[in-house]
Amino acid sequence: MEITISVNGTDNTVDVEPRMLLVDVLRTRLGLTGTHIGCDTTSCGVCTVLLDGTPVKSCTLFAVQADGRAVKTVEGLKQNGDLHPIQAAFKEAHGLQCGYCTPAMMLVGSVLIEENPDPSEDDIRWAISGNLCRCTGYINIVKAIRLAAETVAASS
Amino acid sequence: MTTTQHHHAPITTPEVGGIGHNVRRIEDDRFIQGAGNYLDDIVLPRMLHMVLVRSPLAHATINSIDTSAAEALDGVVAVVTGEMLAGYNLAWMPTLSGDTQAVLATDKVRFQGQEVAAVIATDPYVARDGAELVMVDYEPLDAIVNPMQGLEPDAPIIRDDLEDKADNVAYEWEAGDAGATAEAFATADRVVTIETHYPRSHPSPLETCGVVADVSPVTGQATIYMTSQAPHAHRTVFALVAGLPEHNIRIISPDVGGGFGNKVPVYPGYVVATAASLVLGAPVKWVETRTENLISTGFARDYYMKGELAVTAEGKILGLRVDMVSDQGAFYADAQPTKTRAGLFHIVTGSYDYPAAHVTTKGVYTNKAPGGVAYRCSFRVTEASFLIERLVQNAAYELGMDPAEFRKRNFIQPDQFPYHSPTGFVYDSGDYETALDMAMDMIGYEKLRAEQARARAEGRLMGIGIASFTEVVGAGPSGEYDILGLKMFDSAELRVHPTGKAILKLGVKTQGQGHETTFAQIVAEELGIPATDVKVVHGDTDNTPYGLGTYASRSTPTAGAATSMVSRKLRSKAREIAAHLLEASPEDLEWEVGAFHVRGSPESSVTIQEVAFAAYTNHPPGMEAGLEGVHYYDPPNMTYPFGSYIVVVDLDSGTGEWKVRRMVAVDDCGVRINPMIVDGQIHGGLAEGFAMSNMQWITFDEAGNCIGSNFMDYLVPTAWETPRFELGETVTPSPHHPIGAKGVGESATVGSPAAYVNAVIDALAHIGVRNIDMPVLPDRVWQAIRDHAE
Ligand code: FES
Ligand code: FES
């Protein structure tokens, strides 16, 4: 069936089987491979995208459920050609190693600091508790999100 | 004799970014923008998709396989079975430890999840539908689900495919001196014993394993994209397995989403996809699901260990005896150096000085997935370190000593290096007491002990656990270490372009360790070319020199050394060119990072960039043009990183739950090239150590069904459960490594499990608890408390 999803601000009309997962449409139909796949049980969170601004696991949604809605992926994080503060912070604070969990972590982090401009360590850890990372022990991910919050606060 | 130093100032400027600078990672730019290129991101024209059909049973004879319904499905291009592969002599393949492994089962299945058939279709969803339609008729057999069962005299022979195989023993191996050890035990005042199972675990990087095989029917060129920690070794294995000429095989390991040992072995899926591509004349992609990853590829650990420590009443260790039985699964498929069958497990004597040790090991086949990979560990060093660190703590309890004091009485002393261990290692350098003192200082050890005494009086449970580990990494010297005969040297090729920018090509392959930055920093240190001007190329066998890959913390000790050495070769040539430009003799030139100048007249100087330009535009007559070279580094010895970790836990006696209050980790990995990256590696390892001690394991039921086949059952800690870590460091350079570095990727996974478990045991030591196997689950703790209640 034909559906239209706004992805990173652009409408995309695609013809999909009803069983096709959102993550597969993003990756294979739209070529947005920054969204990853890491499990089959909605456990790892590396597939996280923002659906109408809310983090969702795109491996657990059929693409048809996103019909008429707005999706944001890591490819849409940049603002006017500049890195989003969360992207800069992940590099600055060494918040990534293999990079596989990173796009999802940044998206979740970006929503957190919008909703809570001054998050505590516990706030951050709770916010990313649906996202696994196997490399970093989370320490520098927490630091990166905190740094991004501080950067945003300092510039506003 | 070695010295322990604290940070010394970098010799390069931050702009150059040599050793000691926290250069922000060069590779991050693509990752933070979603532009990494992982295996599943690769799409080739006409690419087909493969899904494997796997056995639901742990042990069964295959009566028949009916592929007709799958073949009839619209979109299915082919269904491959073992029988078809046998026609190409591909039904079995060699493993990296010298065993054989079924590619697709022909006679029997020997573990749940074993590969039985492959369905190839135009679309991945259709391939999965097709896999559902393959009908396999099995005759179930009794399953052997632990090695003790496998060793029983009437146990069924799992590997009846091997000629004359009359038992289930995969290997037997020993180290040390039985006689000397028996003597040591005869004179001991006390013998302290521990028996423990280091449970089966899985590295489970967040990216699973996969391949895109592209064999050209026209040229025979095989381009194989795969999740590989060891692309060159894999190329050679492919040449041997598939009989393809090696120059026509190109392995490309793109961005790898974590490896931790999981991506060292060659898996059946890689081979089937390559064979299918060859036959079908189209690229074939295979990517595991998480469940497939957990049930079939590269498990780790599963060691049953018994350790005995002979001690004097004064607290001196006299000797160690260890007997270990490993559960290898159905195939002995982990990468093992040919000469040491249980990896480097004989490092089990640890950080302590005593004359005698004897280690016996036996690997047993079971009806479980093959692997036994070194999960974030240098060939079984994790299991070894765990055992000795658990033993010394229990020995301290038996002697009524403080566990820190007991360690200090037995540490190998700084003036004893190079230290010859009783199992044959030559430790390069170390200063164990300084590291332990630093950790004790950081955590406030004496205060905690006082608090513990008060807590016990109040009926509150808290424990303090120490681990003072020594690793052996950086395999290795070619005389002693090889895999399938391939010597474990490593390599680096460096070219400096005319404008002074450089490209460095490595035989190792990052999976997140930051090679594109760290190795550029070594070039920056040696040549003064800014790290950001150095492009690091790796993971493409057509474009890099031969090397054995990245695992066992070997990249810095081997390829890092090779990078230093090749840079120095270029510096020697640069000196000649500089002499030509400055009209001086080479001996009269002085090098200060990035430039040569004439001794005594600093104004007369040339930069490395000017020299590079001259190498292509104005090189001395009679000299070869260009500024490039290659170096194959054969390490003279292994390196021996060490550290001391201390964990404080609070334990709830009602529920058996324990929480890490603090975790202090002091690491000494020699010289730190990029301290920020080193800390990151340690954070990751500490988290994985916590995972194994607290929650993460794979078990099986009596029928051999895997419990732990997904992330709902196999628990990987989130940010919420993971403790917060405090790091400290000492620096004891490796005396034989060109820049004194030792390797660090695995120290924390090796050292930390014992620290966490020791802390829990310490909380219960006063009631007599001496062991709880990992993972130290609340119900196990609760049971231990009950068992020791008066
Ligand atoms: S892929 Fe793991 S939660 Fe979506
Ligand atoms: S950086 Fe590798 S999984 Fe998070």
Side-chain angles (χ1 to χ4, degrees):
Chain A
M1 55 190 287
E2 200 159 274
I3 56 170
T4 300
I5 313 175
S6 157
V7 181
N8 300 328
T10 308
D11 277 350
N12 291 274
T13 300
V14 278
D15 187 15
V16 298
E17 271 188 81
R19 66 172 176 170
M20 199 160 184
L21 300 174
L22 177 59
V23 67
D24 287 327
V25 169
L26 293 172
R27 288 180 49 80
T28 64
R29 294 293 180 82
L30 305 181
L32 297 172
T33 54
T35 305
H36 300 143
I37 299 171
C39 73
D40 352 300
T41 50
T42 320
S43 309
C44 75
V46 301
C47 61
T48 305
V49 298
L50 305 186
L51 184 65
D52 295 331
T54 303
V56 296
K57 292 177 173 174
S58 64
C59 71
T60 314
L61 275 181
F62 295 115
V64 294
Q65 293 175 280
D67 187 20
R69 303 177 72 179
V71 169
K72 183 160 159 179
T73 69
V74 64
E75 289 88 348
L77 260 181
K78 274 187 160 179
Q79 301 166 329
N80 309 321
D82 293 331
L83 291 181
H84 185 287
I86 197 104
Q87 293 175 298
F90 266 70
K91 178 173 179 177
E92 177 60 25
H94 188 30
L96 63 150
Q97 290 182 22
C98 78
Y100 205 69
C101 71
T102 312
M105 288 285 186
M106 293 190 305
L107 287 166
V108 172
S110 72
V111 172
L112 172 69
I113 63 176
E114 245 167 64
E115 292 174 352
N116 176 359
D118 185 21
S120 68
E121 170 150 7
D122 274 357
D123 293 338
I124 297 171
R125 284 181 180 259
W126 187 248
I128 60 170
S129 64
N131 294 73
L132 297 178
C133 173
R134 207 56 175 149
C135 301
T136 63
Y138 303 105
I139 300 263
N140 288 345
I141 292 178
V142 173
K143 279 193 195 145
I145 294 173
R146 180 68 215 168
L147 176 62
E150 285 164 12
T151 315
V152 172
S155 69
S156 59
Chain B
M1 192 45 209
T2 54
T3 50
T4 298
Q5 320 159 350
H6 296 279
H7 258 341
H8 49 91
I11 63 165
T12 55
T13 60
E15 292 68 45
V16 172
I19 291 174
H21 288 291
N22 292 330
V23 176
R24 298 304 186 270
R25 299 199 326 167
I26 293 163
E27 49 265 73
D28 284 359
D29 292 336
R30 62 179 187 273
F31 295 135
I32 58 176
Q33 298 180 65
N37 185 35
Y38 300 93
L39 190 281
D40 197 22
D41 303 344
I42 292 165
V43 176
L44 299 179
R46 299 188 307 121
M47 186 172 80
L48 301 172
H49 299 268
M50 182 175 100
V51 168
L52 289 170
V53 177
R54 295 176 181 276
S55 168
L57 300 173
H59 201 193
T61 308
I62 297 175
N63 290 332
S64 62
I65 303 176
D66 180 357
T67 59
S68 53
E71 279 160 342
L73 185 70
D74 209 20
V76 168
V77 176
V79 181
V80 184
T81 63
E83 212 172 302
M84 291 160 69
L85 289 182
Y88 299 88
N89 204 17
L90 279 179
W92 292 80
M93 64 178 185
T95 71
L96 292 178
S97 47
D99 195 0
T100 51
Q101 174 174 0
V103 177
L104 292 178
T106 46
D107 53 340
K108 281 182 177 176
V109 288
R110 294 176 171 84
F111 68 92
Q112 185 186 52
Q114 186 173 342
E115 302 80 359
V116 175
V119 175
I120 293 151
T122 49
D123 173 278
Y125 284 62
V126 174
R128 200 152 292 284
D129 293 340
E132 297 286 318
L133 295 174
V134 173
M135 295 299 154
V136 186
D137 182 19
Y138 296 102
E139 187 71 41
L141 300 168
D142 286 343
I144 291 177
V145 293
N146 71 58
M148 311 322 155
Q149 277 179 331
L151 290 173
E152 278 166 20
D154 56 347
I157 308 303
I158 295 173
R159 294 300 303 280
D160 56 354
D161 57 293
L162 299 171
E163 223 173 298
D164 299 331
K165 189 72 186 148
D167 58 24
N168 288 314
V169 175
Y171 69 84
E172 278 184 278
W173 191 76
E174 66 180 299
D177 185 332
T181 306
E183 271 170 45
F185 275 76
T187 58
D189 295 321
R190 300 286 284 271
V191 173
V192 181
T193 303
I194 196 168
E195 279 188 64
T196 185
H197 177 221
Y198 203 127
R200 187 173 267 242
S201 198
H202 197 286
S204 53
L206 287 189
E207 180 203 33
T208 59
C209 301
V211 67
V212 178
D214 182 16
V215 188
S216 162
V218 178
T219 62
Q221 169 73 39
T223 305
I224 303 168
Y225 303 85
M226 61 191 260
T227 48
S228 170
Q229 296 179 228
H232 289 276
H234 286 161
R235 185 185 72 198
T236 302
V237 172
F238 264 87
L240 297 172
V241 175
L244 297 168
E246 197 167 352
H247 67 292
N248 280 347
I249 307 172
R250 177 180 181 190
I251 307 280
I252 297 178
S253 182
D255 287 328
V256 175
F260 318 118
N262 190 195
K263 292 165 182 171
V264 174
V266 174
Y267 295 120
Y270 301 158
V271 177
V272 183
T274 305
S277 175
L278 180 70
V279 172
L280 299 172
V284 175
K285 177 188 270 191
W286 167 72
V287 178
E288 285 177 334
T289 64
R290 174 58 54 192
T291 294
E292 292 181 286
N293 177 254
L294 286 169
I295 66 172
S296 73
T297 54
F299 83 88
R301 324 290 190 235
D302 222 342
Y303 265 29
Y304 294 81
M305 302 183 284
K306 179 177 181 197
E308 296 169 277
L309 206 59
V311 292
T312 67
E314 296 73 44
K316 274 300 287 178
I317 304 174
L318 301 174
L320 171 72
R321 197 185 278 136
V322 173
D323 186 46
M324 182 279 285
V325 174
S326 68
D327 183 335
Q328 292 297 134
F331 307 102
Y332 180 30
D334 36 336
Q336 292 296 353
T338 312
K339 297 187 180 73
T340 59
R341 302 278 67 198
L344 304 174
F345 180 70
H346 49 309
I347 193 72
V348 66
T349 56
S351 307
Y352 312 100
D353 175 32
Y354 43 94
H358 188 227
V359 181
T360 48
T361 69
K362 185 182 280 179
V364 182
Y365 291 121
T366 60
N367 290 115
K368 290 152 83 173
V373 300
Y375 160 26
R376 212 162 177 167
C377 149
S378 173
F379 301 114
R380 307 300 200 156
V381 172
T382 305
E383 292 91 325
S385 169
F386 180 76
L387 184 66
I388 186 67
E389 287 305 308
R390 293 281 300 108
L391 254 181
V392 295
Q393 170 158 304
N394 281 359
Y397 294 147
E398 294 316 317
L399 295 167
M401 288 177 65
D402 182 276
E405 177 56 27
F406 181 79
R407 284 181 170 83
K408 289 184 183 186
R409 267 190 215 188
N410 289 286
F411 275 149
I412 300 162
Q413 295 302 308
D415 61 3
Q416 289 179 280
F417 293 93
Y419 175 79
H420 291 257
S421 88
T423 54
F425 291 106
V426 184
Y427 294 18
D428 59 349
S429 63
D431 185 348
Y432 301 150
E433 192 162 334
T434 303
L436 178 55
D437 279 338
M438 180 181 286
M440 289 170 73
D441 257 16
M442 285 173 68
I443 206 144
Y445 187 78
E446 298 307 329
K447 268 203 188 128
L448 285 167
R449 284 287 173 212
E451 184 200 328
Q452 185 181 44
R454 286 196 306 276
R456 282 178 178 171
E458 293 159 11
R460 193 158 56 81
L461 297 175
M462 54 102 54
I464 306 146
I466 303 176
S468 294
F469 66 95
T470 293
E471 284 186 279
V472 51
V473 309
S478 63
E480 293 158 70
Y481 297 100
D482 69 84
I483 290 191
L484 292 179
L486 299 170
K487 305 284 193 185
M488 298 189 75
F489 55 78
D490 231 287
S491 59
E493 182 186 320
L494 179 61
R495 293 181 195 165
V496 183
H497 305 313
T499 54
K501 318 286 180 188
I503 182 166
L504 175 73
K505 303 178 171 204
L506 302 172
V508 293
K509 166 67 197 165
T510 190
Q511 313 120 42
Q513 295 92 335
H515 290 180
E516 291 172 34
T517 308
T518 300
F519 285 79
Q521 288 184 257
I522 299 175
V523 174
E525 177 84 1
E526 298 284 359
L527 289 179
I529 296 172
T532 46
D533 285 352
V534 181
K535 173 156 101 183
V536 175
V537 173
H538 53 152
D540 176 353
T541 57
D542 265 11
N543 287 303
T544 54
Y546 205 93
L548 272 264
T550 293
Y551 44 87
S553 294
R554 62 185 301 281
S555 296
T556 296
T558 61
T563 300
S564 257
M565 300 308 281
V566 72
S567 301
R568 290 176 194 181
K569 274 186 194 170
L570 266 55
R571 199 165 74 205
S572 299
K573 181 168 182 183
R575 177 183 289 273
E576 307 274 332
I577 298 170
H580 168 70
L581 296 177
L582 295 168
E583 296 176 350
S585 83
E587 308 79 66
D588 289 340
L589 297 188
E590 274 177 350
W591 169 254
E592 61 182 309
V593 184
F596 290 97
H597 62 80
V598 180
R599 187 172 296 117
S601 53
E603 69 289 352
S604 163
S605 85
V606 284
T607 64
I608 188 73
Q609 287 80 6
E610 288 165 334
V611 169
F613 195 69
Y616 299 88
T617 58
N618 177 22
H619 60 289
M623 179 188 274
E624 265 184 74
L627 193 56
E628 64 178 73
V630 60
H631 191 91
Y632 280 71
Y633 186 79
D634 189 354
N637 189 5
M638 305 289 275
T639 59
Y640 297 77
F642 62 92
S644 271
Y645 296 166
I646 307 184
V647 172
V648 187
V649 300
D650 294 300
L651 196 152
D652 182 332
S653 59
T655 63
E657 282 174 291
W658 52 278
K659 289 228 153 47
V660 174
R661 189 198 302 178
R662 285 182 70 196
M663 175 0 144
V664 162
V666 175
D667 272 277
D668 191 323
C669 56
V671 171
R672 296 179 174 213
I673 300 162
N674 182 320
M676 172 192 84
I677 288 178
V678 168
D679 284 354
Q681 293 292 301
I682 293 167
H683 290 156
L686 295 175
E688 296 199 39
F690 169 74
M692 287 181 290
S693 67
N694 190 274
M695 59 174 79
Q696 179 185 293
W697 66 334
I698 291 182
T699 56
F700 292 78
D701 70 10
E702 280 170 20
N705 294 305
C706 178
I707 321 283
S709 60
N710 59 65
F711 280 157
M712 313 247 273
D713 297 323
Y714 184 68
L715 301 180
V716 168
T718 70
W720 194 248
E721 296 91 24
T722 302
R724 299 155 198 204
F725 312 120
E726 302 158 55
L727 307 190
E729 64 171 278
T730 61
V731 177
T732 310
S734 169
H736 61 80
H737 186 277
I739 52 175
K742 288 189 170 186
V744 74
E746 297 156 334
S747 299
T749 338
V750 168
S752 67
Y756 297 111
V757 177
N758 279 346
V760 178
I761 301 299
D762 191 66
L764 303 170
H766 60 300
I767 61 167
V769 176
R770 290 292 177 270
N771 185 51
I772 301 172
D773 279 354
M774 287 196 291
V776 184
L777 301 170
D779 63 304
R780 288 176 160 185
V781 175
W782 185 85
Q783 191 63 51
I785 295 173
R786 295 272 295 211
D787 292 347
H788 289 83
E790 289 136 279

